[in-house]
Amino acid sequence: MKKIVLLTAVALTTLSSCSDETTVFEEPSKDDLRLETSETLLENSILYDNAGVLDIYDEATVTGKKSITAKNDQAGDYPLTLVAQVDVPSFNGGENLTASHVDVEGDYAYVSYNTVEDGYAGGVDIINVSDPNNPRVTSRLYYSNADINAIDYDNGYIYLAGGVDAERSVRATDNSFIAKIQAANGRMNLDAGISYGFQEGFNATDVEVYGSEVFLTSGRDGFVKAYNKADLSLTKEAPFMDLRAVAIQDNFVAVLDASQGVSIMDQSLNVVRDIAIDSDFGLNTKRTLDFSGEHIIVAEGSRGAGIYNAASGSFIEYVPILLNPDNVDDVDEVTNAVATNEEVLLMANGGAGLCLSEEQNDNTDLVGIIQLEGSINFVASKGDYIFAASGKEGLQIIKLNRPNESLVARCANLAAYSGSSNLTINSGSGGAFRGARRFNNFNVDGSLLLCGSWTVRNNATIGENALFEMNGTFVVGRNSRRRNVIVDAGATLRVEGNLTIYGDLVLNDGATVEFIGDNSVVNIFGSVTRNGNTTVDGTYRDVRNKF
């Protein structure tokens, strides 16, 4: 139980109460929270220092069975890129915040922050991710007296799960709270008032909106409670020993109780099935669970991720923790959170990194550790994005770069690429492929068409009189390790889709760049060098105005 600092007056007027245990307040004191008003600070919160192509340390590499250079013989699946990082908020009294939770809805990511050390301070960010080349923090809220441990967005409001010091608070009746804040078009509106509800438990741990209700879990000696999302009046409750998380699917509510395992309940919070788990979930630690079809996946600390049949409760398998090549302390080798996205399973393994696996029926194949900095505390994924909360490294926004379905249809007759990660097309030769792969080296001296999503770790060179046509996504280099795209004399680079270069685009005398269609995007972090007579044709959006 960490030491707790002062929480001043939380509210001015009582709204309503459905039981003696739950008190709801509105109109919080503005002394304890404030919105960031500096647009410059919000803009500068987006960091591109490590943006670019991400390596994946595969299972053979991290277990020492194969060298890093040897793994590059075959082009890898999952051409991931780090779009940007969001710097952790900091303010007087809140200098040690860490990202704690992420919810993604539509064009926005909603991020919560708490303080791991003694004391309470937290925050909330709203990030516009509608343009993958240019994410923006549109709103930021600081809490000087409360941890924000989880967040969920629904229909114009964000719902927060947090912790306060009830003994020092004028209004708080318990340490755990739920808060409801109006948020429209990426902006929080404090003038509309904030509703709070307090419930038993040392700290609120998770929150999820489902239908007309919002469910909140609180930790040791706490409850899972359901509130009417319109006014936060209590509708139902069930006591548990040590709740860490809640997940809801098909009218079933699953909670993770660190003292016993998973309980699956109906909408009235009657337990219909228990899944006994004897893993050590630790004290006051974040652990999550997630439904994936007929399975339920549980973050089980040092044991990794446990997968169970949600209908029967039967155990299926453990997905173990792969270790990042760097040395990691044993206490940091823990699965904090799990998330699924179609066939992908993601495990936030603390100091052991972010692990990516593939779900295949009742078997899970480990792919590897994604090359990220920081201790990964939480992960969420939706659509083409992964959002990793990495402690003091902040939020890391990763793009899966899945091929567009319409693109796949247009290129369906091409062969899928399955060759070397060191791609070379010799003069007089040609090739045409579809797919989504990671390359190490890329040299075209003949002609090549690529349909899909592709990343290149090192320089990409289109030799004299060569032709390279891309339809989809093509990303080269990393901002901390810049690499160039070189188009030599008489060569043509033809782009339909998204071209991103973490380095320079070098056009030698006689080189041509053609943009096809009306929706192509070019995003160059270095410069465009035009040596001699070069040609750039077509319609395109130049994200950083480098042409």
Side-chain angles (χ1 to χ4, degrees):
M1 188 66 182
K2 68 181 184 180
K3 294 180 181 178
I4 306 169
V5 296
L6 175 67
L7 174 73
T8 59
V10 177
L12 298 178
T13 55
T14 300
L15 174 66
S16 62
S17 177
C18 190
S19 76
D20 293 338
E21 291 80 14
T22 303
T23 306
V24 178
F25 300 102
E26 283 190 329
E27 301 297 340
S29 166
K30 299 296 177 65
D31 295 335
D32 302 323
L33 68 165
R34 69 177 177 87
L35 286 170
E36 178 58 65
T37 58
S38 170
E39 292 295 331
T40 299
L41 187 147
L42 295 180
E43 181 179 344
N44 292 338
S45 296
I46 301 294
L47 306 177
Y48 296 98
D49 299 23
N50 297 313
V53 174
L54 291 173
D55 281 339
I56 297 178
Y57 299 99
D58 64 19
E59 183 177 4
T61 300
V62 299
T63 55
K65 296 178 181 178
K66 185 167 60 172
S67 70
I68 292 178
T69 55
K71 82 180 179 73
N72 291 325
D73 288 345
Q74 193 76 10
D77 294 326
Y78 299 101
L80 308 180
T81 51
L82 180 64
V83 175
Q85 292 173 254
V86 182
D87 201 11
V88 176
S90 182
F91 57 93
N92 186 23
E95 294 86 0
N96 296 305
L97 301 189
T98 61
S100 59
H101 198 105
V102 187
D103 183 48
V104 186
E105 188 67 37
D107 290 336
Y108 296 96
Y110 303 85
V111 187
S112 63
Y113 300 89
N114 63 13
T115 303
V116 176
E117 296 85 358
D118 290 347
Y120 279 97
V124 176
D125 274 347
I126 302 179
I127 304 163
N128 187 328
V129 293
S130 60
D131 180 356
N133 298 300
N134 189 30
R136 294 178 293 113
V137 179
T138 55
S139 191
R140 172 169 286 176
L141 175 65
Y142 304 116
Y143 267 92
S144 64
N145 56 7
D147 281 346
I148 309 301
N149 303 316
I151 187 169
D152 199 20
Y153 172 86
D154 180 77
N155 195 29
Y157 291 89
I158 54 175
Y159 297 83
L160 309 177
V164 301
D165 182 359
E167 293 181 357
R168 298 188 179 186
S169 167
V170 175
R171 297 294 186 184
T173 57
D174 287 285
N175 291 339
S176 298
F177 74 83
I178 182 173
K180 177 183 176 182
I181 302 176
Q182 187 180 87
N185 299 317
R187 301 278 181 177
M188 285 174 275
N189 180 13
L190 298 191
D191 292 334
I194 303 178
S195 298
Y196 285 88
F198 297 94
Q199 71 179 49
E200 305 92 318
F202 282 15
N203 214 325
T205 54
D206 202 3
V207 61
E208 183 160 345
V209 180
Y210 189 79
S212 62
E213 296 177 308
V214 53
F215 293 78
L216 185 77
T217 55
S218 49
R220 292 168 57 192
D221 302 324
F223 282 76
V224 56
K225 295 194 178 188
Y227 299 85
N228 184 315
K229 73 179 184 182
D231 59 9
L232 293 190
S233 59
L234 183 67
T235 60
K236 67 199 77 164
E237 61 185 36
F240 285 87
M241 289 293 294
D242 191 2
L243 289 181
R244 305 297 176 86
V246 59
I248 306 174
Q249 176 176 276
D250 298 334
N251 294 319
F252 287 101
V253 180
V255 293
L256 174 59
D257 184 345
S259 70
Q260 64 182 25
V262 174
S263 293
I264 299 177
M265 298 171 284
D266 60 23
Q267 281 288 290
S268 297
L269 298 185
N270 299 309
V271 176
V272 297
R273 185 174 306 105
D274 285 321
I275 303 175
I277 300 175
D278 61 1
S279 294
D280 181 1
F281 289 97
L283 295 175
N284 304 320
T285 57
K286 192 174 188 74
R287 302 288 185 262
T288 74
L289 73 168
D290 191 20
F291 282 101
S292 180
E294 63 183 17
H295 297 158
I296 191 163
I297 306 173
V298 182
E300 297 191 29
S302 60
R303 190 174 275 180
I307 301 179
Y308 304 83
N309 185 290
S312 67
S314 60
F315 170 76
I316 296 174
E317 65 172 327
Y318 284 117
V319 183
I321 296 174
L322 284 177
L323 295 185
N324 197 296
D326 295 328
N327 294 326
V328 181
D329 291 336
D330 291 345
V331 294
D332 294 329
E333 298 169 10
V334 289
T335 300
N336 298 311
V338 292
T340 58
N341 185 332
E342 297 182 9
E343 78 287 354
V344 170
L345 167 64
L346 297 158
M347 297 163 58
N349 289 337
L354 180 61
C355 182
L356 186 151
S357 301
E358 293 178 329
E359 292 185 282
Q360 298 179 353
N361 298 319
D362 285 346
N363 293 304
T364 303
D365 292 335
L366 290 163
V367 175
I369 302 294
I370 300 172
Q371 180 192 15
L372 295 174
E373 301 294 331
S375 178
I376 311 300
N377 301 324
F378 185 82
V379 60
S381 185
K382 185 173 287 188
D384 202 32
Y385 290 94
I386 300 169
F387 299 87
S390 50
K392 294 180 180 180
E393 292 289 329
L395 180 72
Q396 309 209 42
I397 305 173
I398 302 159
K399 201 165 188 296
L400 284 161
N401 293 311
R402 285 176 168 143
N404 182 279
E405 288 300 322
S406 62
L407 172 65
V408 171
R410 292 199 305 270
C411 301
N413 293 328
L414 297 181
Y417 186 85
S418 60
S420 170
S421 69
N422 300 307
L423 183 144
T424 297
I425 303 294
N426 293 321
S427 178
S429 299
F433 305 97
R434 60 178 173 85
R437 295 286 182 174
R438 289 177 284 124
F439 292 117
N440 186 27
N441 297 299
F442 188 92
N443 295 283
V444 178
D445 290 315
S447 63
L448 175 66
L449 166 65
L450 292 181
C451 291
S453 295
W454 316 84
T455 61
V456 180
R457 186 171 184 269
N458 295 312
N459 292 336
T461 302
I462 299 106
E464 289 189 14
N465 301 312
L467 170 65
F468 172 44
E469 299 173 287
M470 56 141 293
N471 192 321
T473 298
F474 193 76
V475 185
V476 176
R478 192 168 186 181
N479 215 19
S480 59
R481 186 177 176 276
R482 291 194 172 189
R483 295 295 184 265
N484 301 329
V485 172
I486 302 166
V487 185
D488 277 332
T492 298
L493 169 61
R494 188 168 292 142
V495 177
E496 183 178 13
N498 293 273
L499 171 65
T500 299
I501 305 171
Y502 292 93
D504 299 337
L505 174 61
V506 180
L507 306 179
N508 289 325
D509 189 32
T512 298
V513 179
E514 297 177 2
F515 292 94
I516 307 300
D518 298 324
N519 299 309
S520 291
V521 177
V522 59
N523 187 13
I524 300 173
F525 280 73
S527 59
V528 176
T529 300
R530 303 177 71 165
N531 298 317
N533 185 19
T534 62
T535 303
V536 177
D537 284 333
T539 300
Y540 58 94
R541 180 163 70 91
D542 183 2
V543 174
R544 302 187 189 279
N545 299 313
K546 294 302 175 77
F547 280 96

